[in-house]
Amino acid sequence: MSTRLPKFVKTLTESFLKLCKIKYYNYSPVSSVQKNFSFQTGDPLGPWSKESDGGSSIWGILHGSSKRTYTAEFNKRLKHTERGTVSMATAPGSRDPEQREVGSQFLITLGDGLDYLDGKALVFGKVVEGFDTLEKINNAFCDEKDRPLQDIRVRHTIILDDPFPDPDDLIIPPESPVPTPAQLATVRIADDEDLGEDMDEEAMDKLRRDREAKAQALTLEMLGDLPFAEVKPPENILFVCKLNPVTQDEDLDLIFSRFGKILSCEVIRDRKTGDSLQYAFIEFEEQKDCEQAYFKMQGVLIDDHRIHVDFSQSVSRLSDTWRTATNKKRSHGKGGFGGIAELEKRKQYRGADSGEKYERGYGMVFDRDDIRKSKKTESLGTRDRSRSPSRTTNDSKGYRDRDRVYTVPSKGKAPGRMYRD
Protein backbone atom coordinates (compact mmCIF):
# COMPACT_ATOMS: atom_id res chain seq x y z
CA MET A 1 0.00 0.00 0.00
CA SER A 2 1.49 3.36 -0.99
CA THR A 3 0.49 6.97 -0.26
CA ARG A 4 0.92 10.34 -1.93
CA LEU A 5 1.73 13.41 0.19
CA PRO A 6 0.75 17.02 -0.62
CA LYS A 7 3.48 19.66 -0.63
CA PHE A 8 1.62 22.26 1.43
CA VAL A 9 1.54 20.33 4.72
CA LYS A 10 5.28 20.72 5.26
CA THR A 11 5.73 20.20 9.01
CA LEU A 12 3.50 17.16 9.17
CA THR A 13 4.86 15.42 6.08
CA GLU A 14 8.45 16.04 7.16
CA SER A 15 7.84 14.38 10.54
CA PHE A 16 5.98 11.47 8.94
CA LEU A 17 8.67 10.83 6.31
CA LYS A 18 11.52 10.95 8.83
CA LEU A 19 9.66 8.54 11.14
CA CYS A 20 9.26 6.17 8.20
CA LYS A 21 12.94 6.60 7.32
CA ILE A 22 14.18 5.58 10.79
CA LYS A 23 11.72 2.60 10.75
CA TYR A 24 9.81 4.03 13.70
CA TYR A 25 6.54 2.51 12.46
CA ASN A 26 7.91 -0.99 11.95
CA TYR A 27 5.77 -3.57 13.79
CA SER A 28 3.32 -0.90 14.94
CA PRO A 29 -0.09 -2.53 15.52
CA VAL A 30 -3.38 -1.37 14.09
CA SER A 31 -5.02 -0.37 17.36
CA SER A 32 -8.60 -0.01 16.15
CA VAL A 33 -10.70 -0.84 13.10
CA GLN A 34 -14.14 0.73 12.66
CA LYS A 35 -15.80 -0.96 9.72
CA ASN A 36 -16.52 1.34 6.76
CA PHE A 37 -15.12 4.26 8.77
CA SER A 38 -11.37 4.17 9.53
CA PHE A 39 -8.51 2.29 11.13
CA GLN A 40 -5.76 3.79 13.31
CA THR A 41 -2.09 2.95 13.86
CA GLY A 42 1.22 4.72 14.45
CA ASP A 43 1.86 3.91 18.12
CA PRO A 44 4.80 1.43 18.13
CA LEU A 45 3.41 -0.39 21.18
CA GLY A 46 -0.32 0.25 20.94
CA PRO A 47 -2.49 2.19 23.42
CA TRP A 48 -3.16 -0.95 25.52
CA SER A 49 0.52 -1.30 26.48
CA LYS A 50 1.48 0.12 29.88
CA GLU A 51 4.84 1.16 28.44
CA SER A 52 3.32 3.18 25.60
CA ASP A 53 3.68 6.96 25.54
CA GLY A 54 1.23 7.31 22.64
CA GLY A 55 3.91 7.86 20.02
CA SER A 56 6.22 10.76 19.23
CA SER A 57 7.01 13.11 16.39
CA ILE A 58 10.48 13.02 14.87
CA TRP A 59 11.47 16.09 16.89
CA GLY A 60 10.54 14.37 20.13
CA ILE A 61 12.86 11.50 19.23
CA LEU A 62 15.70 13.85 18.31
CA HIS A 63 15.30 16.56 20.95
CA GLY A 64 13.49 15.01 23.91
CA SER A 65 9.97 14.45 25.21
CA SER A 66 9.17 18.18 25.34
CA LYS A 67 9.02 18.08 21.52
CA ARG A 68 7.00 14.86 21.40
CA THR A 69 3.96 16.63 19.90
CA TYR A 70 3.44 19.77 17.86
CA THR A 71 0.47 22.03 17.08
CA ALA A 72 -1.80 20.91 14.25
CA GLU A 73 -2.45 23.39 11.44
CA PHE A 74 -5.63 22.43 9.57
CA ASN A 75 -6.05 23.21 5.90
CA LYS A 76 -9.72 23.65 5.01
CA ARG A 77 -9.03 22.48 1.48
CA LEU A 78 -8.11 19.01 2.71
CA LYS A 79 -11.13 16.92 3.76
CA HIS A 80 -12.03 13.27 4.28
CA THR A 81 -14.02 12.99 1.07
CA GLU A 82 -12.84 9.65 -0.28
CA ARG A 83 -11.81 6.22 0.86
CA GLY A 84 -8.09 5.86 1.53
CA THR A 85 -7.58 9.37 2.93
CA VAL A 86 -4.54 9.44 5.23
CA SER A 87 -4.64 11.85 8.18
CA MET A 88 -2.85 12.40 11.47
CA ALA A 89 -4.79 11.73 14.65
CA THR A 90 -4.94 14.79 16.91
CA ALA A 91 -5.76 15.42 20.56
CA PRO A 92 -6.64 18.56 22.57
CA GLY A 93 -3.53 20.45 23.64
CA SER A 94 -2.27 20.05 27.19
CA ARG A 95 -1.95 23.83 27.63
CA ASP A 96 -4.71 25.07 25.35
CA PRO A 97 -7.62 22.66 24.79
CA GLU A 98 -8.76 24.76 21.83
CA GLN A 99 -5.61 23.83 19.95
CA ARG A 100 -4.99 20.25 18.82
CA GLU A 101 -1.65 18.48 18.93
CA VAL A 102 -0.09 15.86 16.65
CA GLY A 103 2.32 13.04 17.47
CA SER A 104 2.91 9.94 15.35
CA GLN A 105 -0.48 8.18 15.18
CA PHE A 106 -2.40 8.33 11.93
CA LEU A 107 -5.57 6.89 10.47
CA ILE A 108 -6.77 5.83 7.03
CA THR A 109 -10.41 6.08 6.07
CA LEU A 110 -12.36 2.99 4.99
CA GLY A 111 -15.33 4.86 3.53
CA ASP A 112 -16.30 7.93 1.52
CA GLY A 113 -17.61 11.27 2.73
CA LEU A 114 -16.46 11.09 6.35
CA ASP A 115 -16.84 14.80 7.10
CA TYR A 116 -17.09 13.97 10.82
CA LEU A 117 -13.29 13.70 10.85
CA ASP A 118 -12.77 17.16 9.34
CA GLY A 119 -11.23 19.42 11.97
CA LYS A 120 -10.37 16.43 14.18
CA ALA A 121 -7.85 14.56 12.04
CA LEU A 122 -5.25 16.39 9.94
CA VAL A 123 -5.31 15.23 6.31
CA PHE A 124 -1.89 14.92 4.68
CA GLY A 125 -2.13 12.21 2.03
CA LYS A 126 -4.10 9.47 0.33
CA VAL A 127 -3.71 5.84 -0.69
CA VAL A 128 -2.95 5.45 -4.39
CA GLU A 129 -2.58 1.66 -4.57
CA GLY A 130 -3.18 -1.41 -2.41
CA PHE A 131 -6.93 -0.97 -1.90
CA ASP A 132 -7.25 -4.76 -1.53
CA THR A 133 -5.28 -4.37 1.72
CA LEU A 134 -7.77 -1.76 2.90
CA GLU A 135 -10.61 -4.19 2.18
CA LYS A 136 -8.97 -6.95 4.22
CA ILE A 137 -8.47 -4.60 7.16
CA ASN A 138 -12.06 -3.38 6.85
CA ASN A 139 -13.32 -6.99 7.15
CA ALA A 140 -11.07 -7.92 10.11
CA PHE A 141 -12.70 -9.52 13.16
CA CYS A 142 -12.53 -7.17 16.15
CA ASP A 143 -13.41 -7.27 19.84
CA GLU A 144 -15.82 -4.94 21.63
CA LYS A 145 -13.11 -2.24 21.76
CA ASP A 146 -12.53 -2.39 17.96
CA ARG A 147 -9.13 -4.04 18.42
CA PRO A 148 -8.47 -6.73 15.78
CA LEU A 149 -8.54 -10.25 17.21
CA GLN A 150 -5.61 -11.18 15.00
CA ASP A 151 -2.80 -8.64 14.95
CA ILE A 152 -2.50 -6.29 11.96
CA ARG A 153 0.91 -4.62 11.92
CA VAL A 154 3.06 -2.34 9.82
CA ARG A 155 5.77 -4.57 8.39
CA HIS A 156 7.98 -2.15 6.45
CA THR A 157 8.08 1.50 5.38
CA ILE A 158 9.72 2.40 2.07
CA ILE A 159 10.22 6.00 0.93
CA LEU A 160 10.18 6.65 -2.79
CA ASP A 161 10.92 10.39 -2.56
CA ASP A 162 11.91 12.62 0.35
CA PRO A 163 12.19 16.33 -0.49
CA PHE A 164 13.31 17.30 3.03
CA PRO A 165 16.98 17.28 4.09
CA ASP A 166 17.85 14.93 6.94
CA PRO A 167 18.75 16.52 10.31
CA ASP A 168 22.38 16.08 11.32
CA ASP A 169 21.50 13.93 14.31
CA LEU A 170 19.09 11.64 12.41
CA ILE A 171 20.26 8.02 12.65
CA ILE A 172 18.96 5.83 9.81
CA PRO A 173 19.19 2.06 10.47
CA PRO A 174 20.83 0.05 7.67
CA GLU A 175 18.01 -2.52 7.76
CA SER A 176 14.64 -3.07 9.37
CA PRO A 177 15.09 -3.66 13.12
CA VAL A 178 13.62 -6.70 14.87
CA PRO A 179 10.60 -6.16 17.12
CA THR A 180 11.42 -5.09 20.67
CA PRO A 181 10.43 -7.24 23.69
CA ALA A 182 7.81 -4.61 24.57
CA GLN A 183 6.28 -4.97 21.11
CA LEU A 184 6.31 -8.75 21.25
CA ALA A 185 4.54 -8.59 24.62
CA THR A 186 1.53 -6.96 22.93
CA VAL A 187 1.00 -9.81 20.45
CA ARG A 188 -2.49 -11.27 20.66
CA ILE A 189 -2.61 -13.64 17.67
CA ALA A 190 0.43 -13.18 15.42
CA ASP A 191 -0.30 -11.41 12.15
CA ASP A 192 1.55 -14.10 10.18
CA GLU A 193 -0.14 -17.06 11.89
CA ASP A 194 -2.22 -19.26 9.58
CA LEU A 195 -5.66 -19.66 11.15
CA GLY A 196 -7.31 -21.44 8.25
CA GLU A 197 -9.97 -20.11 5.94
CA ASP A 198 -12.84 -21.68 7.89
CA MET A 199 -12.08 -19.92 11.19
CA ASP A 200 -14.95 -17.60 12.08
CA GLU A 201 -15.11 -14.70 14.54
CA GLU A 202 -16.24 -16.89 17.44
CA ALA A 203 -13.39 -19.37 16.96
CA MET A 204 -10.86 -16.57 16.66
CA ASP A 205 -12.15 -14.93 19.85
CA LYS A 206 -11.86 -18.28 21.67
CA LEU A 207 -8.29 -18.66 20.44
CA ARG A 208 -7.50 -15.14 21.67
CA ARG A 209 -8.99 -15.84 25.12
CA ASP A 210 -7.02 -19.10 25.37
CA ARG A 211 -3.81 -17.27 24.54
CA GLU A 212 -4.51 -14.60 27.16
CA ALA A 213 -5.36 -17.22 29.79
CA LYS A 214 -2.10 -19.06 29.14
CA ALA A 215 -0.14 -15.83 29.39
CA GLN A 216 -1.79 -14.98 32.71
CA ALA A 217 -1.14 -18.48 34.03
CA LEU A 218 2.52 -18.19 33.07
CA THR A 219 2.72 -14.90 34.97
CA LEU A 220 1.21 -16.53 38.07
CA GLU A 221 3.72 -19.37 37.77
CA MET A 222 6.58 -16.87 37.66
CA LEU A 223 5.18 -15.14 40.76
CA GLY A 224 4.95 -18.46 42.59
CA ASP A 225 1.14 -18.43 42.88
CA LEU A 226 0.81 -21.52 40.68
CA PRO A 227 3.00 -24.64 40.74
CA PHE A 228 3.04 -24.65 36.93
CA ALA A 229 1.12 -22.80 34.23
CA GLU A 230 -0.69 -25.89 32.91
CA VAL A 231 -2.21 -26.82 36.29
CA LYS A 232 -5.91 -27.71 36.05
CA PRO A 233 -8.55 -27.77 38.79
CA PRO A 234 -9.61 -31.20 40.11
CA GLU A 235 -12.57 -32.72 38.26
CA ASN A 236 -14.24 -34.24 41.33
CA ILE A 237 -15.07 -31.02 43.19
CA LEU A 238 -18.27 -29.00 42.95
CA PHE A 239 -18.65 -25.30 43.63
CA VAL A 240 -22.03 -24.44 45.21
CA CYS A 241 -23.16 -20.85 45.69
CA LYS A 242 -26.25 -18.74 46.51
CA LEU A 243 -26.63 -20.65 49.76
CA ASN A 244 -28.78 -19.54 52.68
CA PRO A 245 -26.54 -18.16 55.48
CA VAL A 246 -28.02 -20.77 57.87
CA THR A 247 -27.03 -23.73 55.69
CA GLN A 248 -24.22 -25.71 57.29
CA ASP A 249 -21.62 -28.22 56.19
CA GLU A 250 -23.54 -31.19 57.56
CA ASP A 251 -26.68 -30.18 55.65
CA LEU A 252 -24.91 -30.13 52.28
CA ASP A 253 -23.09 -33.35 53.10
CA LEU A 254 -26.41 -35.08 53.84
CA ILE A 255 -28.07 -33.82 50.64
CA PHE A 256 -25.20 -34.44 48.20
CA SER A 257 -24.15 -37.79 49.67
CA ARG A 258 -26.99 -39.51 47.78
CA PHE A 259 -24.87 -39.20 44.64
CA GLY A 260 -21.82 -40.92 46.07
CA LYS A 261 -19.17 -40.87 48.76
CA ILE A 262 -18.09 -37.37 49.81
CA LEU A 263 -14.52 -36.81 50.92
CA SER A 264 -15.01 -33.26 52.18
CA CYS A 265 -17.76 -30.67 52.30
CA GLU A 266 -17.21 -27.14 53.54
CA VAL A 267 -19.19 -23.93 53.62
CA ILE A 268 -16.66 -21.11 53.32
CA ARG A 269 -16.88 -18.59 56.16
CA ASP A 270 -15.52 -15.16 57.03
CA ARG A 271 -12.30 -15.61 58.97
CA LYS A 272 -13.16 -12.92 61.51
CA THR A 273 -16.90 -13.24 62.10
CA GLY A 274 -17.43 -16.88 61.18
CA ASP A 275 -20.45 -15.90 59.08
CA SER A 276 -21.19 -17.94 55.97
CA LEU A 277 -20.05 -16.42 52.70
CA GLN A 278 -22.86 -18.41 51.07
CA TYR A 279 -20.74 -20.67 48.91
CA ALA A 280 -19.18 -24.08 49.46
CA PHE A 281 -16.91 -26.75 47.95
CA ILE A 282 -17.92 -30.41 47.87
CA GLU A 283 -15.33 -33.07 47.01
CA PHE A 284 -16.52 -36.47 45.78
CA GLU A 285 -14.46 -39.61 45.73
CA GLU A 286 -15.51 -40.42 42.16
CA GLN A 287 -15.66 -37.99 39.23
CA LYS A 288 -18.85 -39.60 37.87
CA ASP A 289 -20.62 -38.89 41.15
CA CYS A 290 -19.55 -35.26 40.92
CA GLU A 291 -20.91 -35.01 37.38
CA GLN A 292 -24.22 -36.58 38.36
CA ALA A 293 -24.61 -34.10 41.22
CA TYR A 294 -23.83 -31.24 38.84
CA PHE A 295 -26.65 -32.20 36.48
CA LYS A 296 -29.20 -33.03 39.20
CA MET A 297 -28.66 -30.30 41.79
CA GLN A 298 -28.65 -27.14 39.66
CA GLY A 299 -31.50 -24.91 40.82
CA VAL A 300 -32.43 -27.07 43.82
CA LEU A 301 -34.19 -25.25 46.66
CA ILE A 302 -32.28 -25.52 49.96
CA ASP A 303 -33.40 -23.50 52.99
CA ASP A 304 -35.59 -21.36 50.72
CA HIS A 305 -32.60 -20.47 48.51
CA ARG A 306 -32.29 -21.81 44.96
CA ILE A 307 -28.64 -22.81 44.66
CA HIS A 308 -26.28 -22.63 41.71
CA VAL A 309 -23.91 -25.56 41.07
CA ASP A 310 -20.80 -25.62 38.90
CA PHE A 311 -17.48 -27.44 38.69
CA SER A 312 -14.79 -25.87 40.85
CA GLN A 313 -12.18 -23.77 39.06
CA SER A 314 -10.03 -23.27 42.15
CA VAL A 315 -6.49 -24.65 42.33
CA SER A 316 -5.83 -23.05 45.71
CA ARG A 317 -5.42 -26.31 47.58
CA LEU A 318 -3.16 -27.76 44.90
CA SER A 319 -0.98 -24.66 45.14
CA ASP A 320 -0.92 -24.92 48.94
CA THR A 321 0.14 -28.57 48.70
CA TRP A 322 2.89 -27.70 46.23
CA ARG A 323 4.19 -24.80 48.32
CA THR A 324 4.16 -26.89 51.51
CA ALA A 325 6.11 -29.71 49.84
CA THR A 326 8.56 -27.24 48.33
CA ASN A 327 9.19 -25.47 51.63
CA LYS A 328 9.73 -28.80 53.39
CA LYS A 329 12.33 -29.85 50.84
CA ARG A 330 14.12 -26.54 51.14
CA SER A 331 14.08 -26.67 54.93
CA HIS A 332 15.70 -30.14 54.82
CA GLY A 333 18.32 -28.97 52.36
CA LYS A 334 17.00 -31.07 49.49
CA GLY A 335 16.04 -28.15 47.26
CA GLY A 336 13.96 -28.43 44.13
CA PHE A 337 10.26 -28.35 43.53
CA GLY A 338 7.51 -30.90 43.83
CA GLY A 339 7.11 -31.34 40.09
CA ILE A 340 4.09 -32.21 37.99
CA ALA A 341 4.14 -35.96 38.66
CA GLU A 342 4.03 -35.53 42.43
CA LEU A 343 1.42 -32.83 42.23
CA GLU A 344 -0.91 -34.99 40.14
CA LYS A 345 -0.98 -37.52 42.97
CA ARG A 346 -2.31 -34.84 45.34
CA LYS A 347 -5.57 -33.87 43.76
CA GLN A 348 -7.77 -34.24 46.84
CA TYR A 349 -8.42 -31.20 48.97
CA ARG A 350 -8.36 -33.11 52.26
CA GLY A 351 -5.88 -32.02 54.86
CA ALA A 352 -4.66 -35.63 55.06
CA ASP A 353 -3.11 -35.26 51.62
CA SER A 354 -0.63 -32.73 52.91
CA GLY A 355 0.15 -34.73 56.01
CA GLU A 356 -1.82 -32.48 58.38
CA LYS A 357 -5.08 -33.65 59.92
CA TYR A 358 -7.50 -30.76 60.12
CA GLU A 359 -11.16 -31.00 60.95
CA ARG A 360 -11.91 -29.37 57.60
CA GLY A 361 -10.38 -30.29 54.28
CA TYR A 362 -10.20 -26.87 52.60
CA GLY A 363 -7.72 -24.11 53.11
CA MET A 364 -9.69 -21.53 51.15
CA VAL A 365 -10.20 -18.99 53.93
CA PHE A 366 -8.42 -20.20 57.04
CA ASP A 367 -4.64 -20.49 56.96
CA ARG A 368 -2.59 -22.70 59.22
CA ASP A 369 -2.12 -19.98 61.85
CA ASP A 370 -5.87 -19.51 62.11
CA ILE A 371 -6.39 -23.25 62.56
CA ARG A 372 -3.73 -23.45 65.28
CA LYS A 373 -5.34 -20.55 67.11
CA SER A 374 -8.79 -22.09 66.85
CA LYS A 375 -7.51 -25.45 68.15
CA LYS A 376 -5.79 -23.75 71.05
CA THR A 377 -8.98 -21.91 71.90
CA GLU A 378 -11.03 -25.09 71.63
CA SER A 379 -8.69 -26.87 74.05
CA LEU A 380 -9.46 -24.16 76.61
CA GLY A 381 -13.16 -24.75 76.16
CA THR A 382 -13.92 -21.22 75.02
CA ARG A 383 -15.71 -22.11 71.79
CA ASP A 384 -17.48 -24.91 69.99
CA ARG A 385 -15.34 -27.39 68.04
CA SER A 386 -17.20 -26.67 64.78
CA ARG A 387 -16.53 -23.56 62.74
CA SER A 388 -20.19 -23.53 61.77
CA PRO A 389 -22.37 -21.65 64.30
CA SER A 390 -24.71 -23.87 66.25
CA ARG A 391 -28.38 -23.88 65.33
CA THR A 392 -30.95 -23.29 68.03
CA THR A 393 -34.02 -24.71 66.33
CA ASN A 394 -35.05 -28.36 66.65
CA ASP A 395 -37.07 -28.31 63.46
CA SER A 396 -36.00 -30.44 60.56
CA LYS A 397 -34.94 -28.96 57.24
CA GLY A 398 -36.61 -29.37 53.88
CA TYR A 399 -35.01 -29.56 50.47
CA ARG A 400 -36.74 -29.41 47.11
CA ASP A 401 -35.29 -30.29 43.74
CA ARG A 402 -36.99 -30.59 40.38
CA ASP A 403 -38.49 -34.03 41.11
CA ARG A 404 -38.66 -34.53 44.88
CA VAL A 405 -39.22 -32.83 48.21
CA TYR A 406 -36.91 -34.02 50.99
CA THR A 407 -37.65 -33.91 54.71
CA VAL A 408 -34.60 -34.44 56.89
CA PRO A 409 -35.38 -35.25 60.56
CA SER A 410 -33.61 -33.06 63.06
CA LYS A 411 -31.43 -34.42 65.81
CA GLY A 412 -34.01 -33.36 68.42
CA LYS A 413 -37.34 -34.93 69.17
CA ALA A 414 -39.45 -32.38 67.33
CA PRO A 415 -41.24 -33.70 64.22
CA GLY A 416 -39.87 -32.83 60.81
CA ARG A 417 -41.47 -30.35 58.45
CA MET A 418 -41.30 -29.65 54.74
CA TYR A 419 -40.65 -26.40 52.93
CA ARG A 420 -42.91 -25.63 49.99
CA ASP A 421 -42.87 -22.90 47.35
Side-chain angles (χ1 to χ4, degrees), residues 214-282:
K214 290 179 180 178
Q216 292 170 358
L218 183 60
T219 301
L220 292 175
E221 179 184 359
M222 295 171 64
L223 294 174
D225 288 342
L226 287 181
F228 53 94
E230 295 80 10
V231 65
K232 294 182 179 180
E235 298 178 343
N236 62 326
I237 297 177
L238 280 185
F239 169 74
V240 183
C241 63
K242 298 184 179 180
L243 294 172
N244 191 312
V246 304
T247 303
Q248 299 186 33
D249 305 354
E250 296 78 7
D251 305 327
L252 293 178
D253 189 288
L254 182 61
I255 297 169
F256 281 84
S257 61
R258 71 187 182 96
F259 299 102
K261 183 178 180 180
I262 292 179
L263 299 179
S264 62
C265 177
E266 180 179 3
V267 175
I268 306 303
R269 300 183 176 277
D270 185 273
R271 66 169 64 193
K272 293 183 179 180
T273 65
D275 295 334
S276 170
L277 298 179
Q278 297 179 261
Y279 68 93
F281 293 93
I282 302 174

Side-chain angles (χ1 to χ4, degrees), residues 37 80 113-121:
F37 187 73
H80 299 81
L114 302 179
D115 54 358
Y116 170 80
L117 294 173
D118 296 341
K120 297 181 178 64

Side-chain angles (χ1 to χ4, degrees), residues 48-301:
W48 48 80
S49 173
K50 295 181 180 180
E51 300 181 30
S52 172
D53 61 357
S56 172
S57 68
I58 189 63
W59 297 285
I61 295 174
L62 298 178
H63 307 303
S65 59
S66 61
K67 301 290 185 180
R68 190 172 65 86
T69 61
Y70 56 93
T71 302
E73 298 180 1
F74 290 93
N75 190 315
K76 295 182 179 180
R77 295 169 52 189
L78 301 177
K79 298 183 178 182
H80 299 81
T81 57
E82 59 182 315
R83 183 187 186 201
T85 299
V86 186
S87 56
M88 275 289 180
T90 65
S94 56
R95 296 182 178 179
D96 184 4
E98 296 297 326
Q99 290 186 339
R100 301 188 72 85
E101 295 181 346
V102 182
S104 65
Q105 296 191 48
F106 62 94
L107 56 90
I108 300 179
T109 59
L110 299 172
D112 297 325
L114 302 179
D115 54 358
Y116 170 80
L117 294 173
D118 296 341
K120 297 181 178 64
L122 186 57
V123 176
F124 70 98
K126 64 179 182 179
V127 175
V128 294
E129 62 179 29
F131 284 92
D132 56 332
T133 303
L134 290 186
E135 188 62 28
K136 290 181 180 179
I137 296 176
N138 190 43
N139 294 325
F141 295 132
C142 300
D143 60 16
E144 65 279 359
K145 296 182 180 180
D146 297 324
R147 179 184 176 183
L149 296 177
Q150 183 176 16
D151 289 0
I152 304 174
R153 296 183 180 266
V154 177
R155 279 297 184 180
H156 302 284
T157 53
I158 301 172
I159 300 175
L160 300 179
D161 180 36
D162 181 6
F164 306 103
D166 294 334
D168 295 336
D169 48 356
L170 186 71
I171 301 177
I172 302 174
E175 58 184 13
S176 294
V178 298
T180 65
Q183 287 179 316
L184 293 175
T186 65
V187 173
R188 173 177 277 183
I189 300 176
D191 57 330
D192 57 352
E193 184 171 345
D194 185 14
L195 301 178
E197 297 180 357
D198 57 343
M199 178 166 285
D200 56 10
E201 184 173 3
E202 182 179 354
M204 191 175 294
D205 185 58
K206 182 179 183 300
L207 178 61
R208 174 188 63 81
R209 286 187 279 107
D210 290 343
R211 296 280 179 89
E212 291 179 351
K214 290 179 180 178
Q216 292 170 358
L218 183 60
T219 301
L220 292 175
E221 179 184 359
M222 295 171 64
L223 294 174
D225 288 342
L226 287 181
F228 53 94
E230 295 80 10
V231 65
K232 294 182 179 180
E235 298 178 343
N236 62 326
I237 297 177
L238 280 185
F239 169 74
V240 183
C241 63
K242 298 184 179 180
L243 294 172
N244 191 312
V246 304
T247 303
Q248 299 186 33
D249 305 354
E250 296 78 7
D251 305 327
L252 293 178
D253 189 288
L254 182 61
I255 297 169
F256 281 84
S257 61
R258 71 187 182 96
F259 299 102
K261 183 178 180 180
I262 292 179
L263 299 179
S264 62
C265 177
E266 180 179 3
V267 175
I268 306 303
R269 300 183 176 277
D270 185 273
R271 66 169 64 193
K272 293 183 179 180
T273 65
D275 295 334
S276 170
L277 298 179
Q278 297 179 261
Y279 68 93
F281 293 93
I282 302 174
E283 179 185 12
F284 288 86
E285 185 175 42
E286 300 291 338
Q287 180 182 340
K288 60 181 180 63
D289 298 334
C290 182
E291 293 174 352
Q292 185 180 8
Y294 168 77
F295 289 113
K296 292 289 186 180
M297 295 302 290
Q298 171 61 23
V300 168
L301 196 67

Side-chain angles (χ1 to χ4, degrees), residues 7 31 83 101 112 127 129 144 152 196 203 228 233 286 311 344 346 360 370 393-394 417:
K7 296 180 180 179
S31 57
R83 183 187 186 201
E101 295 181 346
D112 297 325
V127 175
E129 62 179 29
E144 65 279 359
I152 304 174
F228 53 94
E286 300 291 338
F311 291 102
E344 289 298 321
R346 300 174 179 243
R360 304 294 184 196
D370 292 328
T393 179
N394 288 327
R417 72 172 187 267

